[in-house]
Amino acid sequence: MAPPQPLVFTVRRRMPELVSPAGPTPNEIKYLSDIDDQEGLRFQIPVIQFYRRDETNLNGKDPVKVIREALAKALVFYYPMAGRLREGPGRKLMVDCTGEGVVFIEADADVALADFGDALQPPFPCLEELLYDVPGSEGVLHCPLLLIQVTRLSCGGYIFALRLNHTVCDAFGLVQFLNAVAELARGGRSPSVMPVWRRELLDARNLPGATPTFAHHEYDQVPESEGAAVIALDDMAHRSFFFGEGEIAVLRRLLPVRLRRCSTFDVLTACLWRCRTVALRPDPDEEVRVICIVNARSRFNNPPIPRGYYGNAFALPVAMAAAGDLAKKPLGYAVDLVRKAKGEVSEEYMRSVADLMVAKGRPHFAVARTYLVSDLKRAGFGEVDFGWGRPAYGGPAKGGVGAIPGLSSFYIPSKNGTVVPVSLPASAMETFVREVEYMINPHFDQIRSAL
């Protein structure tokens, strides 16, 4: 049977415009926190939401017009989002609250939502048409902090896509902002959760000689060695994998009894880290790493992070192992490492990260022989309702984060399970698929012993 033809369609865009706050806003400087302000967050993150036609809600109204007007109203409350980033002494980032606005693009596409298929998941066809990279808008400094494109579909549905400067907020902060736009689009007069800036709460401690109190190996400067796996950027394969209750149950049966009540995140991360390492074939003695993004909002008590805070508030704890040990030892070995890394995150840990940022010149997290995973199942992208109901899909527009293909994966909620987009060199992807299939096979132990 011939493979299905890729979906191709045409998008007609109007000229990009700047949407400014609908009312007067303060003209001031607001500093980012020392958690926001790290080299590894200086990039644009794309998100996409697919919405069906809904005859019962806002029937006859134009989603482009409704969302554009609601966006302008929301920017009165979230006025820093309409500003521009500047850089001060020590590369310190700050928002110049100029009220210049965010980029907005109106578009139409000659394609229906049904044409994308039942399984809406990255990679999406013609993404560059659904989220147009306006020339000159993609920078971190002196550029719009947010770009939004709303594309009407031929079926009456629409696609809401955006690109965000990650230094300004994380996934939870972005969803808070989107919900504010959505509430105003549905007729609200103000957001139900008012935004809180308070970035100083996550600043380095202003004490003489303050130094990090944790090792923070996630920020080690790890060189690529001769035997390390090198990601071939010109030969990447992109696939999404589904893990339902059955697949997770099979993985749990590979664990010792003491670990079988661990979280889905723990066992899934351990499985993917192991399979990816086997697929990339590093030297058995090479150290490989997995970074687990941990939302740290609930870890703060003195003072607590207030409701409405929309800055970055996550940690990047790392688990490390020799590649050979990870590939040959039971899955419980990797689960223990993941759980130990996540367990380090506390208020003191976050204070220590902020101290490190200032003391070490805001380093980038390690990328050599590293896999980064981010669980977005509770972020709330799938709950954002502009008046046409919840999205058929809401979440990352691409399988990974940052400018380094193959480095990372998101965990995306799906009906009865989790979707995980993965990017790897084509040759490694074949091995990765085989390894995953082995591990979720109920007879994995017998298969492994026969290899």
Side-chain angles (χ1 to χ4, degrees):
M1 179 183 294
Q5 294 297 311
L7 179 62
V8 178
F9 52 89
T10 301
V11 177
R12 297 175 301 280
R13 294 183 302 270
R14 292 194 179 182
M15 289 293 293
E17 60 181 298
L18 285 176
V19 173
S20 301
T25 57
N27 188 342
E28 60 187 0
I29 296 293
K30 284 188 170 293
Y31 287 89
L32 295 183
S33 80
D34 289 319
I35 298 296
D36 296 320
D37 191 1
Q38 48 184 299
E39 187 64 33
L41 298 185
R42 291 191 177 202
F43 69 94
Q44 305 276 354
I45 186 166
V47 169
I48 194 164
Q49 313 273 109
F50 290 77
Y51 290 91
R52 301 180 181 89
R53 177 186 178 90
D54 188 340
E55 299 289 353
T56 62
N57 292 327
L58 298 179
N59 186 25
K61 292 190 177 182
D62 177 11
V64 172
K65 182 175 184 293
V66 170
I67 292 172
R68 183 197 286 114
E69 291 177 357
L71 176 63
K73 294 175 183 176
L75 289 174
V76 174
F77 301 95
Y78 286 85
Y79 64 90
M81 301 283 279
R84 301 292 183 265
L85 276 189
R86 309 284 187 249
E87 195 175 59
R91 303 183 68 231
K92 180 64 179 176
L93 290 178
M94 63 195 79
V95 180
D96 188 357
C97 300
T98 60
E100 291 174 70
V102 303
V103 179
F104 187 89
I105 305 167
E106 175 180 350
D108 293 273
D110 59 356
V111 66
L113 182 58
D115 295 330
F116 288 88
D118 294 330
L120 283 169
Q121 58 193 30
F124 295 107
C126 303
L127 178 60
E128 68 283 354
E129 296 295 323
L130 298 170
L131 185 56
Y132 177 56
D133 184 12
V134 177
S137 71
E138 72 282 359
V140 172
L141 301 176
H142 313 293
C143 288
L145 301 178
L146 187 65
L147 180 150
I148 293 173
Q149 179 172 329
V150 181
T151 305
R152 304 180 193 89
L153 302 177
S154 61
C155 60
Y158 66 95
I159 297 172
F160 176 98
L162 67 86
R163 192 189 66 200
L164 169 77
N165 187 320
H166 202 337
T167 63
V168 179
C169 55
D170 59 15
F172 288 89
L174 173 58
V175 169
Q176 179 184 308
F177 171 74
L178 293 180
N179 278 326
V181 177
E183 288 175 331
L184 295 169
R186 299 197 308 269
R189 302 188 65 178
S190 63
S192 59
V193 177
M194 296 301 291
V196 174
W197 186 260
R198 297 294 306 278
R199 303 300 171 101
E200 73 280 0
L201 293 174
L202 276 73
D203 273 349
R205 287 170 282 208
N206 188 22
L207 299 172
T211 58
T213 52
F214 285 77
H216 295 300
H217 292 296
E218 61 269 35
Y219 297 102
D220 289 347
Q221 300 306 297
V222 182
E224 281 283 13
S225 58
E226 186 176 346
V230 177
I231 299 293
L233 303 184
D234 59 347
D235 185 30
M236 297 296 289
H238 310 276
R239 286 191 56 172
S240 287
F241 298 82
F242 175 78
F243 295 87
E245 293 179 0
E247 288 80 6
I248 297 300
V250 170
L251 293 177
R252 288 189 193 282
R253 287 199 290 270
L254 300 175
L255 302 177
V257 174
R258 66 179 178 84
L259 290 177
R260 288 185 182 175
R261 296 178 66 86
C262 71
S263 70
T264 297
F265 177 93
D266 296 341
V267 68
L268 184 54
T269 299
C271 167
L272 295 173
W273 183 27
R274 178 197 178 278
C275 293
R276 184 179 184 274
T277 299
V278 172
L280 289 173
R281 300 181 182 179
D283 185 284
D285 294 327
E286 291 279 8
E287 181 184 77
V288 292
R289 298 160 165 244
V290 62
I291 289 177
C292 308
I293 294 183
V294 174
N295 179 11
R297 282 170 169 77
S298 64
R299 314 293 171 96
F300 284 80
N301 295 302
N302 187 28
I305 299 299
R307 185 169 186 254
Y309 185 87
Y310 62 104
N312 291 284
F314 60 82
L316 302 168
V318 62
M320 302 176 290
D325 288 342
L326 192 63
K328 293 178 181 179
K329 290 187 176 182
L331 185 62
Y333 171 73
V335 170
D336 274 329
L337 293 175
V338 169
R339 285 164 57 90
K340 180 181 178 182
K342 286 172 50 188
E344 280 198 313
V345 179
S346 62
E347 180 173 346
E348 176 59 27
Y349 186 96
M350 296 297 289
R351 304 284 179 208
S352 179
V353 171
D355 291 344
L356 182 143
M357 287 298 125
V358 173
K360 301 294 184 180
R362 311 189 186 284
H364 199 293
F365 54 83
V367 297
R369 303 182 301 282
T370 298
Y371 182 42
L372 185 150
V373 294
S374 178
D375 187 352
L376 296 180
K377 296 198 300 293
R378 295 182 178 86
F381 287 107
E383 310 298 316
V384 179
D385 177 5
F386 294 105
W388 286 263
R390 295 176 179 178
Y393 170 90
K398 295 181 179 179
V401 299
I404 307 171
L407 173 69
S408 59
S409 290
F410 293 112
Y411 295 175
I412 303 171
S414 181
K415 186 177 181 180
N416 300 321
T418 303
V419 169
V420 184
V422 175
S423 298
L424 285 170
S427 58
M429 182 63 81
E430 293 180 13
T431 305
F432 181 84
V433 171
R434 184 175 67 247
E435 289 294 318
V436 170
E437 289 176 346
Y438 285 161
M439 294 201 72
I440 61 176
N441 188 307
H443 306 293
F444 172 73
D445 284 336
Q446 295 95 307
I447 294 172
R448 184 171 63 177
S449 63
L451 294 179

